[in-house]
Short mmCIF file of all heavy atoms in Angstrom, two decimals:
data_model
loop_
_atom_site.label_atom_id
_atom_site.label_comp_id
_atom_site.label_asym_id
_atom_site.label_seq_id
_atom_site.Cartn_x
_atom_site.Cartn_y
_atom_site.Cartn_z
N MET Q 1 0.85 -1.17 0.00
CA MET Q 1 0.00 0.00 0.00
C MET Q 1 0.90 1.23 0.00
O MET Q 1 1.89 1.28 0.73
CB MET Q 1 -0.91 -0.01 1.23
CG MET Q 1 -1.88 1.12 1.24
SD MET Q 1 -3.07 1.07 2.59
CE MET Q 1 -4.07 -0.30 2.10
N THR Q 2 0.53 2.21 -0.79
CA THR Q 2 1.35 3.40 -0.91
C THR Q 2 1.19 4.30 0.32
O THR Q 2 0.19 4.21 1.05
CB THR Q 2 0.98 4.22 -2.16
OG1 THR Q 2 -0.35 4.72 -1.99
CG2 THR Q 2 1.06 3.37 -3.42
N GLN Q 3 2.14 5.18 0.50
CA GLN Q 3 2.07 6.13 1.61
C GLN Q 3 0.85 7.04 1.46
O GLN Q 3 0.20 7.37 2.44
CB GLN Q 3 3.36 6.96 1.68
CG GLN Q 3 3.40 7.89 2.87
CD GLN Q 3 3.30 7.16 4.19
OE1 GLN Q 3 3.93 6.11 4.38
NE2 GLN Q 3 2.52 7.68 5.12
N LYS Q 4 0.55 7.42 0.22
CA LYS Q 4 -0.61 8.27 -0.02
C LYS Q 4 -1.90 7.57 0.40
O LYS Q 4 -2.77 8.17 1.04
CB LYS Q 4 -0.68 8.67 -1.49
CG LYS Q 4 -1.83 9.60 -1.79
CD LYS Q 4 -1.87 10.02 -3.25
CE LYS Q 4 -3.08 10.92 -3.45
NZ LYS Q 4 -3.27 11.32 -4.80
N SER Q 5 -2.03 6.31 0.07
CA SER Q 5 -3.22 5.54 0.46
C SER Q 5 -3.32 5.43 1.97
O SER Q 5 -4.41 5.57 2.54
CB SER Q 5 -3.18 4.15 -0.16
OG SER Q 5 -3.28 4.22 -1.56
N LEU Q 6 -2.19 5.18 2.62
CA LEU Q 6 -2.19 5.10 4.08
C LEU Q 6 -2.61 6.43 4.71
O LEU Q 6 -3.37 6.45 5.68
CB LEU Q 6 -0.82 4.68 4.59
CG LEU Q 6 -0.44 3.23 4.39
CD1 LEU Q 6 1.01 2.99 4.79
CD2 LEU Q 6 -1.36 2.32 5.19
N THR Q 7 -2.11 7.51 4.15
CA THR Q 7 -2.46 8.84 4.66
C THR Q 7 -3.95 9.11 4.49
O THR Q 7 -4.62 9.59 5.41
CB THR Q 7 -1.64 9.92 3.94
OG1 THR Q 7 -0.26 9.67 4.17
CG2 THR Q 7 -2.00 11.31 4.42
N GLU Q 8 -4.49 8.77 3.33
CA GLU Q 8 -5.92 8.99 3.08
C GLU Q 8 -6.78 8.13 4.00
O GLU Q 8 -7.79 8.60 4.53
CB GLU Q 8 -6.24 8.71 1.62
CG GLU Q 8 -5.67 9.76 0.68
CD GLU Q 8 -5.80 9.40 -0.79
OE1 GLU Q 8 -6.16 8.25 -1.10
OE2 GLU Q 8 -5.53 10.29 -1.61
N LEU Q 9 -6.39 6.89 4.20
CA LEU Q 9 -7.15 6.02 5.10
C LEU Q 9 -7.07 6.53 6.55
O LEU Q 9 -8.06 6.48 7.29
CB LEU Q 9 -6.63 4.59 5.02
CG LEU Q 9 -7.07 3.82 3.78
CD1 LEU Q 9 -6.35 2.48 3.69
CD2 LEU Q 9 -8.57 3.61 3.77
N SER Q 10 -5.91 7.04 6.92
CA SER Q 10 -5.77 7.60 8.27
C SER Q 10 -6.67 8.82 8.45
O SER Q 10 -7.27 9.00 9.52
CB SER Q 10 -4.31 7.99 8.53
OG SER Q 10 -3.51 6.85 8.56
N GLU Q 11 -6.78 9.64 7.43
CA GLU Q 11 -7.67 10.80 7.49
C GLU Q 11 -9.12 10.37 7.60
O GLU Q 11 -9.90 10.96 8.37
CB GLU Q 11 -7.46 11.70 6.27
CG GLU Q 11 -6.15 12.43 6.28
CD GLU Q 11 -5.87 13.21 5.00
OE1 GLU Q 11 -6.78 13.34 4.15
OE2 GLU Q 11 -4.74 13.68 4.85
N LEU Q 12 -9.50 9.35 6.85
CA LEU Q 12 -10.86 8.82 6.94
C LEU Q 12 -11.13 8.27 8.34
O LEU Q 12 -12.21 8.47 8.90
CB LEU Q 12 -11.08 7.71 5.91
CG LEU Q 12 -11.28 8.15 4.48
CD1 LEU Q 12 -11.25 6.94 3.55
CD2 LEU Q 12 -12.58 8.91 4.32
N LEU Q 13 -10.14 7.61 8.90
CA LEU Q 13 -10.27 7.05 10.25
C LEU Q 13 -10.52 8.17 11.26
O LEU Q 13 -11.42 8.07 12.10
CB LEU Q 13 -9.00 6.27 10.59
CG LEU Q 13 -9.03 5.39 11.81
CD1 LEU Q 13 -10.03 4.26 11.63
CD2 LEU Q 13 -7.66 4.81 12.08
N ARG Q 14 -9.74 9.24 11.17
CA ARG Q 14 -9.92 10.38 12.08
C ARG Q 14 -11.30 11.02 11.89
O ARG Q 14 -11.95 11.41 12.86
CB ARG Q 14 -8.82 11.41 11.89
CG ARG Q 14 -7.50 11.01 12.52
CD ARG Q 14 -6.49 12.14 12.53
NE ARG Q 14 -6.11 12.57 11.18
CZ ARG Q 14 -5.15 12.02 10.45
NH1 ARG Q 14 -4.46 11.00 10.93
NH2 ARG Q 14 -4.87 12.48 9.25
N SER Q 15 -11.74 11.12 10.65
CA SER Q 15 -13.05 11.72 10.38
C SER Q 15 -14.18 10.89 10.97
O SER Q 15 -15.12 11.43 11.56
CB SER Q 15 -13.27 11.86 8.87
OG SER Q 15 -12.37 12.78 8.33
N GLU Q 16 -14.09 9.58 10.82
CA GLU Q 16 -15.12 8.70 11.38
C GLU Q 16 -15.11 8.76 12.90
O GLU Q 16 -16.17 8.76 13.54
CB GLU Q 16 -14.93 7.26 10.90
CG GLU Q 16 -15.29 7.06 9.45
CD GLU Q 16 -16.73 7.33 9.11
OE1 GLU Q 16 -17.61 7.26 9.99
OE2 GLU Q 16 -16.99 7.65 7.93
N GLU Q 17 -13.93 8.83 13.49
CA GLU Q 17 -13.84 8.93 14.95
C GLU Q 17 -14.48 10.23 15.44
O GLU Q 17 -15.24 10.23 16.41
CB GLU Q 17 -12.37 8.86 15.39
CG GLU Q 17 -12.20 8.94 16.89
CD GLU Q 17 -10.76 8.90 17.31
OE1 GLU Q 17 -9.87 9.33 16.55
OE2 GLU Q 17 -10.51 8.43 18.44
N LEU Q 18 -14.19 11.32 14.77
CA LEU Q 18 -14.76 12.61 15.16
C LEU Q 18 -16.28 12.60 15.00
O LEU Q 18 -17.00 13.06 15.89
CB LEU Q 18 -14.14 13.73 14.32
CG LEU Q 18 -14.66 15.14 14.60
CD1 LEU Q 18 -14.38 15.54 16.05
CD2 LEU Q 18 -14.02 16.12 13.64
N ALA Q 19 -16.76 12.06 13.89
CA ALA Q 19 -18.21 12.00 13.67
C ALA Q 19 -18.89 11.14 14.74
O ALA Q 19 -19.97 11.49 15.24
CB ALA Q 19 -18.50 11.45 12.27
N TYR Q 20 -18.24 10.04 15.11
CA TYR Q 20 -18.78 9.17 16.17
C TYR Q 20 -18.88 9.94 17.49
O TYR Q 20 -19.91 9.91 18.16
CB TYR Q 20 -17.90 7.93 16.32
CG TYR Q 20 -18.24 7.11 17.53
CD1 TYR Q 20 -19.40 6.34 17.56
CD2 TYR Q 20 -17.41 7.09 18.64
CE1 TYR Q 20 -19.73 5.59 18.67
CE2 TYR Q 20 -17.73 6.34 19.76
CZ TYR Q 20 -18.89 5.59 19.77
OH TYR Q 20 -19.21 4.85 20.86
N LYS Q 21 -17.81 10.63 17.84
CA LYS Q 21 -17.80 11.38 19.10
C LYS Q 21 -18.85 12.48 19.10
O LYS Q 21 -19.52 12.71 20.12
CB LYS Q 21 -16.41 11.97 19.35
CG LYS Q 21 -15.39 10.92 19.74
CD LYS Q 21 -14.03 11.53 19.96
CE LYS Q 21 -13.02 10.47 20.36
NZ LYS Q 21 -11.69 11.06 20.58
N LYS Q 22 -19.01 13.16 17.98
CA LYS Q 22 -20.02 14.22 17.89
C LYS Q 22 -21.42 13.64 18.06
O LYS Q 22 -22.24 14.20 18.79
CB LYS Q 22 -19.91 14.96 16.56
CG LYS Q 22 -18.77 15.92 16.50
CD LYS Q 22 -18.77 16.68 15.18
CE LYS Q 22 -17.69 17.72 15.13
NZ LYS Q 22 -17.75 18.53 13.91
N CYS Q 23 -21.68 12.54 17.39
CA CYS Q 23 -23.00 11.92 17.52
C CYS Q 23 -23.26 11.50 18.96
O CYS Q 23 -24.37 11.70 19.47
CB CYS Q 23 -23.12 10.71 16.59
SG CYS Q 23 -23.38 11.14 14.87
N CYS Q 24 -22.26 10.96 19.61
CA CYS Q 24 -22.43 10.55 21.01
C CYS Q 24 -22.73 11.76 21.90
O CYS Q 24 -23.58 11.68 22.80
CB CYS Q 24 -21.18 9.83 21.52
SG CYS Q 24 -20.97 8.19 20.81
N ASN Q 25 -22.06 12.88 21.64
CA ASN Q 25 -22.35 14.10 22.40
C ASN Q 25 -23.76 14.59 22.15
O ASN Q 25 -24.46 15.03 23.07
CB ASN Q 25 -21.34 15.20 22.06
CG ASN Q 25 -19.99 14.95 22.66
OD1 ASN Q 25 -19.85 14.27 23.66
ND2 ASN Q 25 -18.96 15.50 22.04
N TYR Q 26 -24.21 14.52 20.89
CA TYR Q 26 -25.58 14.94 20.56
C TYR Q 26 -26.60 14.03 21.24
O TYR Q 26 -27.64 14.50 21.70
CB TYR Q 26 -25.80 14.95 19.05
CG TYR Q 26 -24.98 15.97 18.30
CD1 TYR Q 26 -24.52 15.70 17.02
CD2 TYR Q 26 -24.65 17.20 18.85
CE1 TYR Q 26 -23.77 16.63 16.31
CE2 TYR Q 26 -23.91 18.13 18.16
CZ TYR Q 26 -23.47 17.85 16.88
OH TYR Q 26 -22.74 18.76 16.19
N VAL Q 27 -26.31 12.75 21.29
CA VAL Q 27 -27.22 11.81 21.97
C VAL Q 27 -27.34 12.19 23.44
O VAL Q 27 -28.44 12.22 24.00
CB VAL Q 27 -26.73 10.35 21.83
CG1 VAL Q 27 -27.49 9.42 22.77
CG2 VAL Q 27 -26.88 9.87 20.40
N ALA Q 28 -26.22 12.52 24.05
CA ALA Q 28 -26.23 12.88 25.47
C ALA Q 28 -27.02 14.16 25.73
O ALA Q 28 -27.66 14.31 26.78
CB ALA Q 28 -24.80 13.03 25.97
N ASP Q 29 -27.00 15.07 24.77
CA ASP Q 29 -27.68 16.36 24.94
C ASP Q 29 -29.14 16.34 24.53
O ASP Q 29 -29.92 17.19 24.95
CB ASP Q 29 -26.97 17.45 24.14
CG ASP Q 29 -25.59 17.79 24.70
OD1 ASP Q 29 -25.33 17.46 25.87
OD2 ASP Q 29 -24.78 18.39 23.96
N ALA Q 30 -29.53 15.39 23.71
CA ALA Q 30 -30.89 15.36 23.17
C ALA Q 30 -31.90 14.99 24.26
O ALA Q 30 -31.61 14.19 25.15
CB ALA Q 30 -30.99 14.38 22.01
N THR Q 31 -33.08 15.56 24.14
CA THR Q 31 -34.14 15.22 25.09
C THR Q 31 -35.24 14.39 24.43
O THR Q 31 -35.92 13.62 25.10
CB THR Q 31 -34.77 16.51 25.68
OG1 THR Q 31 -35.22 17.34 24.62
CG2 THR Q 31 -33.75 17.26 26.52
N ASP Q 32 -35.40 14.52 23.12
CA ASP Q 32 -36.40 13.77 22.39
C ASP Q 32 -35.91 12.34 22.16
O ASP Q 32 -34.82 12.13 21.63
CB ASP Q 32 -36.68 14.46 21.05
CG ASP Q 32 -37.72 13.73 20.24
OD1 ASP Q 32 -38.91 14.04 20.41
OD2 ASP Q 32 -37.32 12.86 19.43
N GLU Q 33 -36.70 11.37 22.58
CA GLU Q 33 -36.27 9.96 22.50
C GLU Q 33 -36.11 9.48 21.06
O GLU Q 33 -35.22 8.68 20.77
CB GLU Q 33 -37.25 9.06 23.26
CG GLU Q 33 -37.21 9.26 24.77
CD GLU Q 33 -35.82 9.06 25.36
OE1 GLU Q 33 -35.11 8.11 24.98
OE2 GLU Q 33 -35.43 9.89 26.20
N ASP Q 34 -36.96 9.93 20.16
CA ASP Q 34 -36.83 9.53 18.76
C ASP Q 34 -35.53 10.08 18.17
O ASP Q 34 -34.83 9.39 17.42
CB ASP Q 34 -38.02 10.02 17.93
CG ASP Q 34 -39.30 9.29 18.28
OD1 ASP Q 34 -39.22 8.13 18.74
OD2 ASP Q 34 -40.39 9.88 18.10
N LEU Q 35 -35.22 11.32 18.49
CA LEU Q 35 -33.98 11.93 18.03
C LEU Q 35 -32.77 11.21 18.61
O LEU Q 35 -31.80 10.95 17.90
CB LEU Q 35 -33.95 13.42 18.39
CG LEU Q 35 -32.73 14.21 17.95
CD1 LEU Q 35 -32.55 14.15 16.44
CD2 LEU Q 35 -32.83 15.65 18.44
N LYS Q 36 -32.83 10.87 19.89
CA LYS Q 36 -31.74 10.12 20.52
C LYS Q 36 -31.50 8.79 19.81
O LYS Q 36 -30.36 8.41 19.57
CB LYS Q 36 -32.07 9.83 22.00
CG LYS Q 36 -31.78 10.93 22.93
CD LYS Q 36 -32.04 10.46 24.35
CE LYS Q 36 -31.48 11.44 25.30
NZ LYS Q 36 -30.62 11.03 26.30
N ALA Q 37 -32.59 8.11 19.48
CA ALA Q 37 -32.47 6.82 18.81
C ALA Q 37 -31.83 6.97 17.43
O ALA Q 37 -30.95 6.20 17.06
CB ALA Q 37 -33.84 6.15 18.69
N GLU Q 38 -32.26 7.98 16.70
CA GLU Q 38 -31.70 8.21 15.36
C GLU Q 38 -30.23 8.59 15.44
O GLU Q 38 -29.40 8.08 14.68
CB GLU Q 38 -32.50 9.30 14.64
CG GLU Q 38 -32.18 9.44 13.18
CD GLU Q 38 -32.60 8.22 12.37
OE1 GLU Q 38 -33.54 7.52 12.75
OE2 GLU Q 38 -31.96 7.98 11.33
N LEU Q 39 -29.90 9.48 16.35
CA LEU Q 39 -28.50 9.87 16.53
C LEU Q 39 -27.65 8.68 16.99
O LEU Q 39 -26.49 8.54 16.59
CB LEU Q 39 -28.39 11.01 17.54
CG LEU Q 39 -28.93 12.36 17.06
CD1 LEU Q 39 -29.03 13.33 18.24
CD2 LEU Q 39 -28.05 12.94 15.96
N GLY Q 40 -28.23 7.81 17.79
CA GLY Q 40 -27.54 6.60 18.22
C GLY Q 40 -27.23 5.69 17.04
O GLY Q 40 -26.15 5.10 16.98
N ARG Q 41 -28.17 5.61 16.11
CA ARG Q 41 -27.93 4.80 14.90
C ARG Q 41 -26.80 5.42 14.07
O ARG Q 41 -25.94 4.71 13.56
CB ARG Q 41 -29.20 4.68 14.07
CG ARG Q 41 -30.17 3.65 14.64
CD ARG Q 41 -31.32 3.37 13.68
NE ARG Q 41 -32.28 4.46 13.61
CZ ARG Q 41 -33.27 4.66 14.47
NH1 ARG Q 41 -33.42 3.84 15.48
NH2 ARG Q 41 -34.10 5.67 14.30
N TYR Q 42 -26.80 6.74 13.95
CA TYR Q 42 -25.71 7.41 13.23
C TYR Q 42 -24.37 7.12 13.91
O TYR Q 42 -23.38 6.84 13.25
CB TYR Q 42 -25.93 8.92 13.15
CG TYR Q 42 -27.05 9.36 12.26
CD1 TYR Q 42 -27.81 10.47 12.59
CD2 TYR Q 42 -27.37 8.67 11.10
CE1 TYR Q 42 -28.85 10.90 11.78
CE2 TYR Q 42 -28.42 9.09 10.28
CZ TYR Q 42 -29.14 10.20 10.63
OH TYR Q 42 -30.18 10.62 9.83
N ALA Q 43 -24.35 7.21 15.24
CA ALA Q 43 -23.12 6.95 15.98
C ALA Q 43 -22.65 5.52 15.73
O ALA Q 43 -21.45 5.29 15.49
CB ALA Q 43 -23.34 7.18 17.48
N ASN Q 44 -23.57 4.57 15.76
CA ASN Q 44 -23.21 3.17 15.52
C ASN Q 44 -22.66 2.97 14.11
O ASN Q 44 -21.71 2.19 13.92
CB ASN Q 44 -24.41 2.26 15.75
CG ASN Q 44 -24.77 2.14 17.20
OD1 ASN Q 44 -23.96 2.40 18.08
ND2 ASN Q 44 -26.01 1.79 17.47
N ASN Q 45 -23.24 3.66 13.13
CA ASN Q 45 -22.74 3.55 11.76
C ASN Q 45 -21.32 4.09 11.65
O ASN Q 45 -20.47 3.47 10.99
CB ASN Q 45 -23.65 4.31 10.79
CG ASN Q 45 -24.97 3.62 10.57
OD1 ASN Q 45 -25.11 2.43 10.80
ND2 ASN Q 45 -25.96 4.38 10.15
N HIS Q 46 -21.05 5.22 12.29
CA HIS Q 46 -19.69 5.78 12.27
C HIS Q 46 -18.71 4.85 12.98
O HIS Q 46 -17.59 4.65 12.52
CB HIS Q 46 -19.67 7.17 12.90
CG HIS Q 46 -20.29 8.22 12.05
ND1 HIS Q 46 -19.79 8.58 10.81
CD2 HIS Q 46 -21.39 8.99 12.24
CE1 HIS Q 46 -20.54 9.53 10.30
NE2 HIS Q 46 -21.54 9.79 11.14
N LYS Q 47 -19.14 4.27 14.09
CA LYS Q 47 -18.28 3.35 14.84
C LYS Q 47 -17.96 2.12 13.99
O LYS Q 47 -16.82 1.64 13.98
CB LYS Q 47 -18.96 2.94 16.15
CG LYS Q 47 -18.20 1.96 16.98
CD LYS Q 47 -16.96 2.56 17.59
CE LYS Q 47 -16.38 1.61 18.63
NZ LYS Q 47 -14.98 1.36 18.43
N HIS Q 48 -18.96 1.62 13.29
CA HIS Q 48 -18.76 0.46 12.43
C HIS Q 48 -17.75 0.77 11.32
O HIS Q 48 -16.85 -0.02 11.05
CB HIS Q 48 -20.09 -0.01 11.83
CG HIS Q 48 -19.95 -1.13 10.87
ND1 HIS Q 48 -19.64 -2.42 11.27
CD2 HIS Q 48 -20.04 -1.17 9.53
CE1 HIS Q 48 -19.55 -3.19 10.20
NE2 HIS Q 48 -19.79 -2.45 9.13
N ARG Q 49 -17.91 1.94 10.68
CA ARG Q 49 -16.96 2.33 9.63
C ARG Q 49 -15.56 2.53 10.20
O ARG Q 49 -14.57 2.14 9.58
CB ARG Q 49 -17.45 3.58 8.90
CG ARG Q 49 -18.58 3.30 7.95
CD ARG Q 49 -18.90 4.47 7.05
NE ARG Q 49 -19.46 5.59 7.75
CZ ARG Q 49 -20.76 5.78 7.97
NH1 ARG Q 49 -21.63 4.88 7.54
NH2 ARG Q 49 -21.19 6.83 8.61
N PHE Q 50 -15.47 3.12 11.39
CA PHE Q 50 -14.19 3.30 12.05
C PHE Q 50 -13.52 1.95 12.27
O PHE Q 50 -12.34 1.76 11.94
CB PHE Q 50 -14.38 4.02 13.39
CG PHE Q 50 -13.12 4.14 14.20
CD1 PHE Q 50 -12.27 5.22 14.00
CD2 PHE Q 50 -12.79 3.19 15.15
CE1 PHE Q 50 -11.10 5.33 14.74
CE2 PHE Q 50 -11.63 3.30 15.90
CZ PHE Q 50 -10.78 4.37 15.69
N ASP Q 51 -14.26 1.00 12.83
CA ASP Q 51 -13.71 -0.34 13.09
C ASP Q 51 -13.28 -1.03 11.80
O ASP Q 51 -12.25 -1.70 11.77
CB ASP Q 51 -14.72 -1.19 13.84
CG ASP Q 51 -14.96 -0.71 15.26
OD1 ASP Q 51 -14.11 0.02 15.80
OD2 ASP Q 51 -16.03 -1.06 15.82
N THR Q 52 -14.07 -0.87 10.74
CA THR Q 52 -13.73 -1.47 9.45
C THR Q 52 -12.45 -0.89 8.90
O THR Q 52 -11.55 -1.61 8.45
CB THR Q 52 -14.88 -1.27 8.45
OG1 THR Q 52 -16.06 -1.89 8.98
CG2 THR Q 52 -14.56 -1.87 7.09
N LEU Q 53 -12.33 0.43 8.93
CA LEU Q 53 -11.11 1.10 8.45
C LEU Q 53 -9.90 0.70 9.29
O LEU Q 53 -8.81 0.44 8.75
CB LEU Q 53 -11.27 2.61 8.45
CG LEU Q 53 -12.19 3.21 7.41
CD1 LEU Q 53 -12.48 4.67 7.71
CD2 LEU Q 53 -11.56 3.08 6.03
N LEU Q 54 -10.08 0.66 10.60
CA LEU Q 54 -8.97 0.28 11.48
C LEU Q 54 -8.50 -1.14 11.17
O LEU Q 54 -7.31 -1.40 11.07
CB LEU Q 54 -9.41 0.41 12.94
CG LEU Q 54 -8.34 0.15 13.97
CD1 LEU Q 54 -7.17 1.13 13.83
CD2 LEU Q 54 -8.93 0.23 15.36
N GLY Q 55 -9.44 -2.05 10.99
CA GLY Q 55 -9.09 -3.42 10.64
C GLY Q 55 -8.35 -3.50 9.32
O GLY Q 55 -7.37 -4.24 9.17
N TYR Q 56 -8.80 -2.70 8.37
CA TYR Q 56 -8.14 -2.68 7.07
C TYR Q 56 -6.71 -2.16 7.20
O TYR Q 56 -5.79 -2.72 6.61
CB TYR Q 56 -8.95 -1.81 6.10
CG TYR Q 56 -8.43 -1.85 4.69
CD1 TYR Q 56 -8.68 -2.96 3.88
CD2 TYR Q 56 -7.69 -0.80 4.17
CE1 TYR Q 56 -8.20 -3.01 2.58
CE2 TYR Q 56 -7.21 -0.83 2.87
CZ TYR Q 56 -7.46 -1.94 2.09
OH TYR Q 56 -6.96 -1.99 0.81
N LEU Q 57 -6.52 -1.10 7.96
CA LEU Q 57 -5.18 -0.55 8.15
C LEU Q 57 -4.27 -1.53 8.89
O LEU Q 57 -3.10 -1.68 8.55
CB LEU Q 57 -5.24 0.77 8.92
CG LEU Q 57 -5.68 1.98 8.12
CD1 LEU Q 57 -5.87 3.18 9.04
CD2 LEU Q 57 -4.66 2.31 7.05
N GLU Q 58 -4.81 -2.22 9.88
CA GLU Q 58 -4.01 -3.18 10.63
C GLU Q 58 -3.59 -4.35 9.74
O GLU Q 58 -2.48 -4.88 9.88
CB GLU Q 58 -4.78 -3.67 11.86
CG GLU Q 58 -4.88 -2.63 12.93
CD GLU Q 58 -5.76 -3.03 14.09
OE1 GLU Q 58 -6.50 -4.03 13.97
OE2 GLU Q 58 -5.71 -2.33 15.11
N ASN Q 59 -4.46 -4.77 8.85
CA ASN Q 59 -4.14 -5.88 7.94
C ASN Q 59 -3.17 -5.46 6.84
O ASN Q 59 -2.51 -6.30 6.24
CB ASN Q 59 -5.40 -6.46 7.33
CG ASN Q 59 -6.21 -7.23 8.33
OD1 ASN Q 59 -5.70 -7.77 9.29
ND2 ASN Q 59 -7.51 -7.28 8.11
N ALA Q 60 -3.11 -4.15 6.56
CA ALA Q 60 -2.24 -3.65 5.49
C ALA Q 60 -0.79 -3.55 5.95
O ALA Q 60 0.10 -3.41 5.13
CB ALA Q 60 -2.73 -2.28 5.03
N ARG Q 61 -0.56 -3.62 7.23
CA ARG Q 61 0.82 -3.49 7.74
C ARG Q 61 1.64 -4.70 7.53
O ARG Q 61 1.47 -5.74 7.40
CB ARG Q 61 0.80 -3.16 9.23
CG ARG Q 61 0.26 -1.78 9.47
CD ARG Q 61 0.32 -1.47 10.93
NE ARG Q 61 -0.28 -0.15 11.14
CZ ARG Q 61 -0.45 0.38 12.29
NH1 ARG Q 61 -0.09 -0.25 13.36
NH2 ARG Q 61 -0.98 1.55 12.42
#
């Protein structure tokens, strides 16, 4: 894997981590249960993508 690809994947990893953390903060602040549930699903999706990217990077080493 090229250095450029590794750099791009690392940037994607950081972006997914940040999006996950933001969603978790929004869930904590939300008062509407439907909104909390939807934001929780978004957080889970970001966490899943983060884990997938991390696994891919670990296997590329």
Side-chain angles (χ1 to χ4, degrees):
M1 184 175 290
T2 66
Q3 184 61 42
K4 182 178 179 183
S5 294
L6 286 173
T7 300
E8 290 172 350
L9 284 172
S10 294
E11 289 174 10
L12 284 171
L13 192 65
R14 283 190 297 274
S15 294
E16 288 298 336
E17 180 181 29
L18 179 61
Y20 170 73
K21 288 179 180 180
K22 284 183 176 185
C23 284
C24 288
N25 287 334
Y26 294 146
V27 168
D29 291 342
T31 55
D32 180 89
E33 291 304 317
D34 291 333
L35 181 58
K36 278 185 167 233
E38 191 66 27
L39 290 168
R41 282 190 287 277
Y42 290 146
N44 289 339
N45 288 339
H46 287 296
K47 178 70 169 129
H48 176 72
R49 285 191 292 271
F50 175 87
D51 292 340
T52 300
L53 288 168
L54 184 60
Y56 186 76
L57 283 173
E58 288 174 347
N59 289 333
R61 292 183 183 176

